[in-house]
Each structure stands twice: as C-alpha cells, then as structure tokens.
Amino acid sequence: MKPKAVYIHVPFCEQICHYCDFNKFFLEKQPVDEYLQLCVEEMKHTVKNTPPDEIASVYVGGGTPTSLTTSQLQLLLEGIKAYFPLRTSCEWTVEVNPGSAGREKLEMMRSQGVNRLSIGAQTFDPGLLHAIGRDHQAEDVEKTVRMARGAGFENISIDLMFGLPGQTMEQFKDTLQRVMALSVEHVSAYSLKIEPKTVFYHLWKKGSLLLPEEDTEVEMYEELCSHLKKTGFIQYEISNFAKMGRQSRHNLTYWNNEEYYGIGAGAHSYLSGIRRMNHGPLPKYMESIRKCGLPYREEHRVTVQEKMEEEMFMGLRRLSGVSYATFSQKFGITINEVFPGVVEQLMKKNLLEDTGAAVRLTKNGLLLGNDVFEQFLLS
C-alpha cells in the first residue's frame, strides 16, 4: 500500500528547551527562506521516486513551525499541497508554541487547510515552565486556544509533561484542571526522559537535577488516566487521550506500523519497505538537496523479522492492542508461532491480556511497557 501520511520538519526555535533532543537550531541568523525552498524541492524529488496516493494525514512539527513568519509558513503549506494530493477529510496538524501564533498566522493556516493544532503547553505552573526552559506563560496557552477557536479550529491537542524537576502532585493536578477548562479535543502527556546532549542531561550527570521519585511519577500517570477518563476522554494509546472520534490519525500511522513520508532536516521516512533518516545539520541537508534533490544520511531495508517485531511493540502501545487476525494477514504466520510462549509468559505476569481477538497491555503493562516490548525482540 502507498503511504498515506506526511511528516514535515521545521527545525527552528526561538528558545531551546532543556529537555529537547529533537533536531533543532536557534532561529536567529538561520537561512530559513532557503531551507523552506529546499524542503519543497525535497518534496518534488521524493514524490517522483515514490508517487503518493491520496494523503490522509499531514503533520508539521519541529522545532517550532510557528516560529516562522506567516508568509514563510504559508510557502511551506502551499508546497505540501502542490506535491501531495490531500484527501478532503485529511487531518492536517501544525505544532504551535503558545504565544508564537497570532490571529493572522492562525487564520492563514486555517485558510490553507490546516484543521488541527498541537499546542505545546507542557505545564501550567510558572516556576516549572521556567525550570524546563519554556519561553511562554500559562496564560499564553489559554489565549492561543481562544484565538484558534476564533480562526475556526475545531480540533486542538494539548501536549503535557510530568515527572518534571521538582514537580509535585498538586502542581500536576492543577495543570490537568486548567487543561480541562480549555475544552480541547485531545491530550498527549509524556513523562520526562533525560536524553543525551540536552541541558537536563548535563545537570543530571552532575547530580544537580532533582527529579520526582519513581512512585510519584507513577501516581501522576495514574492521576492523568483517571482524571481524563472522568472528563470524557478515551485513552487510546499509552500517552494519548481523545474525545470520541478525535484520535490522532497521524500518530496512529506509526503505531499501526504503516509507511509515511518524512521531509526536512533530520526527518525520518518509511517508504517501500525502507526506513531512511535525513541529514540533520542544516549545511549538510541543504547541500544534499542542491546536489541530488534527496538528503538521505542513512537507509535500512526492513526485514520481515523486524517488521514483525515492530508490529508488536508499536501496536501494543495502542490500548486496543495487536489483532491476531491482522498479524496473520500481514505475515502469513501467527503471533504465537513467531513468539512462542512470550504472550503466555507475560499474561502470567499480568502485563498482557488476551481479548480473544487481540493481545493488549494490562493496567500494569501500561506502566511497564518497555519491559513488555523487549520480550518481542527476536535477536
């Protein structure tokens, strides 16, 4: 099947967050206009090599896409429409940093066809925002949501983090209450991970990063699940919650182990059974596009064994789990034949459960997902 999803990476930020390990650069003095033109050039060469079907989801992430000027962002959005045929029902998401998108920019995005926003709130506590290196205030989130509604957006997601340095349960509960007051359609919430080459990593190595106890982090996750369930959200993935019918189609592409296009510096793609990673540094990315139109740094043809492994540890992130029938249809062999005894062993540990049609994580399994996923590595 042809890919039906597109990811576009905008690597520019006006502030570098202390936890972020994504491919990003300070916006000031960067060759932004040339970068955007070369992104569009990459689109042209990519679809020539792998012609698209109708696209069901587009996700413009970063970095901070809304750090671009209105005209710069419009150029990028128009390029996407020029090379990727979008379904009438296409879910088109742009990541928004609170306070970085005014009414003009929001109205332009909506007029171009963008119909979903992912707003990076992370927390509503002023002290925690400062501690993690965010450059917005809590009220900026509320203002951005109001302006987005005024511009016609009916599908808004809020990104949250928990397990932040010095974060208490009271602070996290307050954040959840403030998110619910916004009446958004989707919430993504991830625990802080200390990644190499970040400010937090260096502080952690020096022993000067005060993190909540593991038990507190677990309590925060349980509070998240409980609170959102009470307020009408459906948990459909370990870290994602949506109102009915508002699940992220784009993220489901990854969890369903489907192929997708990836455009931009440091972007990943999965096309025709090959996973590729683009050059990350801007000079290398831009030079590669100028020379041959494509910026691939690495590529790997995925083996059948790897596809089966990915089917399990990506699919088990969904609360619906991995369908026995779908697995057999894809690979011509059953889950239990490929992974003999693994499901049974994990069921005995109360980490997996069998619904008859699928295998899925239990409540305990949601807390220990990585431990479960490791059991489905064949080598």
Side-chain angles (χ1 to χ4, degrees):
M1 293 179 63
K2 291 184 178 181
K4 294 182 173 61
V6 182
Y7 174 79
I8 312 289
H9 192 67
V10 179
F12 306 112
C13 291
E14 295 173 282
Q15 173 105 0
I16 304 298
C17 300
H18 298 342
Y19 54 84
C20 181
D21 71 331
F22 295 148
N23 193 50
K24 76 283 183 187
F25 310 96
F26 278 115
L27 178 66
E28 189 176 354
K29 297 181 181 179
Q30 296 291 351
V32 178
D33 291 326
E34 186 179 4
Y35 173 81
L36 296 173
Q37 291 165 3
L38 291 172
C39 274
V40 175
E41 188 73 8
E42 184 191 354
M43 295 179 207
K44 180 177 76 173
H45 288 275
T46 298
V47 301
K48 181 179 179 181
N49 284 1
T50 309
D53 202 342
E54 281 195 323
I55 298 299
S57 73
V58 176
Y59 194 102
V60 183
T64 309
T66 48
S67 68
L68 303 177
T69 67
T70 300
S71 59
Q72 287 170 336
L73 184 55
Q74 182 171 342
L75 182 149
L76 183 65
L77 301 182
E78 289 175 345
I80 294 168
K81 292 195 295 183
Y83 289 103
F84 294 101
L86 308 184
R87 289 182 183 174
T88 304
S89 60
C90 178
E91 175 196 87
W92 191 347
T93 305
V94 173
E95 287 184 352
V96 177
N97 193 45
S100 68
R103 185 171 298 279
E104 178 189 19
K105 195 174 294 185
L106 290 165
E107 289 177 348
M108 178 280 295
M109 287 192 285
R110 190 68 194 92
S111 70
Q112 289 295 321
V114 177
N115 53 24
R116 184 175 183 272
L117 301 179
S118 179
I119 301 175
Q122 315 312 349
T123 176
F124 280 73
D125 184 88
L128 289 175
L129 285 170
H130 177 75
I132 65 177
R134 298 293 288 175
D135 61 354
H136 73 268
Q137 302 300 317
E139 54 267 26
D140 292 330
V141 181
E142 296 155 352
K143 181 179 179 182
T144 299
V145 170
R146 286 197 304 271
M147 286 194 297
R149 296 299 193 200
F153 285 94
E154 298 177 352
N155 194 0
I156 296 176
S157 178
I158 295 288
D159 288 350
L160 299 177
M161 297 180 72
F162 59 94
L164 299 174
Q167 187 177 30
T168 65
M169 274 297 298
E170 289 70 25
Q171 289 170 321
F172 187 57
K173 287 180 179 180
D174 178 68
T175 282
L176 291 176
Q177 290 171 357
R178 294 184 70 168
V179 170
M180 293 306 99
L182 296 174
S183 299
V184 295
E185 287 71 33
H186 190 279
V187 174
S188 296
Y190 295 90
S191 63
L192 174 67
K193 301 299 179 189
I194 306 300
E195 303 287 359
K197 300 180 181 179
T198 63
V199 172
F200 276 171
Y201 179 78
H202 296 298
L203 292 173
W204 175 73
K205 289 284 285 185
K206 291 190 296 184
S208 55
L209 191 66
L210 180 63
L211 297 174
E213 296 291 334
E214 185 176 338
D215 287 349
T216 301
E217 190 173 317
V218 169
E219 288 176 18
M220 288 179 178
Y221 180 72
E222 291 175 337
E223 176 66 22
L224 168 76
C225 298
S226 173
H227 190 96
L228 292 182
K229 182 178 180 180
K230 290 176 184 176
T231 49
F233 283 83
I234 299 166
Q235 184 178 12
Y236 68 101
E237 191 267 348
I238 291 176
S239 301
N240 284 267
F241 308 78
K243 293 293 180 67
M244 183 66 70
R246 296 298 196 176
Q247 294 88 340
S248 169
R249 293 185 211 164
H250 189 82
N251 286 344
L252 282 167
T253 297
Y254 305 139
W255 302 322
N256 291 337
N257 201 24
E258 297 169 351
E259 297 193 349
Y260 55 91
Y261 296 92
I263 303 293
H268 293 247
S269 60
Y270 185 21
L271 303 172
S272 304
I274 300 174
R275 291 195 182 275
R276 296 185 175 92
M277 182 173 72
N278 288 357
H279 287 290
L282 286 184
K284 190 66 178 176
Y285 170 82
M286 295 168 73
E287 178 188 8
S288 298
I289 298 289
R290 293 191 204 100
K291 282 186 176 179
C292 63
L294 294 169
Y296 303 144
R297 174 189 169 189
E298 297 176 8
E299 65 177 39
H300 170 71
R301 181 167 292 281
V302 184
T303 67
V304 173
Q305 175 180 309
E306 290 168 334
K307 289 179 181 179
M308 292 189 293
E309 291 172 343
E310 291 171 355
E311 189 77 12
M312 296 305 297
F313 59 70
M314 295 300 289
L316 283 171
R317 292 193 63 88
R318 303 176 312 227
L319 263 71
S320 59
V322 178
S323 162
Y324 288 117
T326 299
F327 189 96
S328 297
Q329 288 166 4
K330 280 188 175 184
F331 303 110
I333 191 170
T334 69
I335 291 174
N336 288 322
E337 287 173 321
V338 179
F339 307 98
V342 175
V343 172
E344 183 180 356
Q345 176 190 13
L346 291 169
M347 287 176 63
K348 287 179 180 177
K349 294 180 179 180
N350 193 29
L351 297 174
L352 287 183
E353 61 184 3
D354 187 339
T355 68
V359 58
R360 66 185 184 187
L361 294 174
T362 62
K363 185 177 180 180
N364 286 338
L366 290 172
L367 300 173
L368 299 168
N370 289 335
D371 294 338
V372 174
F373 305 152
E374 286 177 2
Q375 303 307 308
F376 291 97
L377 294 174
L378 292 167
S379 58

